[in-house]
Amino acid sequence: MIDVVYFAWLRERIGLPREQVETRAETVADLVAELTAREPRYAAAFADTASVRVALDQSLAGFDAPLSGVREVAFFPPMTGG
Amino acid sequence: MLRVDAAAFDPGAELNAFSAGLTTAGAVVSFTGIVRDTPAGLAAMEIEHYPAMTGPAIAEMQTTAARRWDLAASLVIHRHGRLEPGETIMMVATAAPHRAAAFAATEYLMDYLKSRAPFWKKEIARDGTETWVAATPEDEDALSRWD
């Protein structure tokens, strides 16, 4: 089980801020493929992965990063602080 | 020093408190960010963040800045939640022996806060339209000057 959290328009499109996912995905890209295959709302959220950023246990990571040992995966748009 | 909070703050009082007692720093530079109205008319800005990541991400930026410019101290305050035009969103202050370092470190922290601190802004227009603020290529380019 892995915790998956969503922010901003990803949270709105998927319709929830956090969920636990039972997965054997080896990388972030594998997890995105699994989620996208689930329901259209996930496919809509991940339609353009160029505008999606990922953090693994609160550190920025790429889509090719391994999920081994990771407890929390976060998906969000490019950040707009300041 | 770092604070992420929904509550309003007084940037003048924060700056005075930050500057008090500094004896090795000859320069303090600060930046204050304010919610600005838009041509279409802004009712409010809603700022969402990733609580588990925000503090550690900003603290790391401050550590990097302190090492790079030999800062005496730095301060970041950033709000989240619903803010109206004219309200203060955030401030950065740095203290250094000389002004060049304080100016540069403040710009560095601003550039990184803009693109690497996990905040997302949504504009709510007076007609009710909601728009997520998009990051710009310029925001990303601004980081490359610090490589």
Side-chain angles (χ1 to χ4, degrees):
Chain A
M1 288 287 253
I2 200 161
D3 285 313
V4 184
V5 295
Y6 309 103
F7 293 96
W9 55 256
L10 276 121
R11 172 180 55 70
E12 290 181 340
R13 284 183 200 175
I14 291 165
L16 67 165
R18 163 183 292 271
E19 63 183 323
Q20 287 204 311
V21 176
E22 184 71 60
T23 179
R24 288 201 176 81
E26 288 184 3
T27 65
V28 173
D30 293 343
L31 177 63
V32 169
E34 277 185 18
L35 292 170
T36 299
R38 261 192 187 177
E39 285 178 57
R41 60 196 169 109
Y42 290 94
F46 291 108
D48 176 20
T49 49
S51 54
V52 176
R53 300 289 177 268
V54 186
L56 300 180
D57 290 331
Q58 298 88 46
S59 290
L60 288 173
F63 282 82
D64 56 352
L67 292 179
S68 172
V70 170
R71 282 176 296 186
E72 185 173 272
V73 181
F75 292 107
F76 43 77
M79 296 162 265
T80 53
Chain B
M1 286 165 274
L2 164 61
R3 200 163 79 235
V4 178
D5 197 347
F9 65 92
D10 176 344
E14 297 290 348
L15 187 59
N16 284 338
F18 175 75
S19 306
L22 291 172
T23 51
T24 58
V28 170
V29 167
S30 74
F31 172 87
T32 304
I34 292 164
V35 180
R36 68 172 183 277
D37 206 347
T38 59
L42 186 76
M45 174 96 84
E46 273 181 12
I47 302 175
E48 179 175 338
H49 77 122
Y50 182 5
M53 181 175 171
T54 315
I58 298 174
E60 192 182 333
M61 294 169 200
Q62 290 179 286
T63 301
T64 304
R67 202 180 297 129
R68 184 160 173 172
W69 286 284
D70 193 24
L71 300 182
S74 73
L75 169 69
V76 175
I77 303 174
H78 204 302
R79 293 178 65 192
H80 59 88
R82 187 182 171 92
L83 283 77
E84 294 183 358
E87 285 194 68
T88 300
I89 303 182
M90 54 87 67
M91 75 176 286
V92 170
T94 65
H98 301 285
R99 74 176 186 275
F103 275 112
T106 299
E107 288 224 78
Y108 172 89
L109 287 170
M110 280 310 308
D111 285 347
Y112 271 80
L113 284 163
K114 194 126 198 121
S115 301
R116 291 291 183 273
F119 291 96
W120 300 276
K121 295 185 185 126
K122 180 195 261 182
E123 290 179 348
I124 299 154
R126 267 181 230 129
D127 68 4
T129 312
E130 299 187 354
T131 314
W132 286 102
V133 175
T136 67
E138 290 75 25
D139 294 339
E140 204 56 33
D141 291 347
L143 297 186
S144 59
R145 66 174 159 149
W146 305 110
D147 289 345

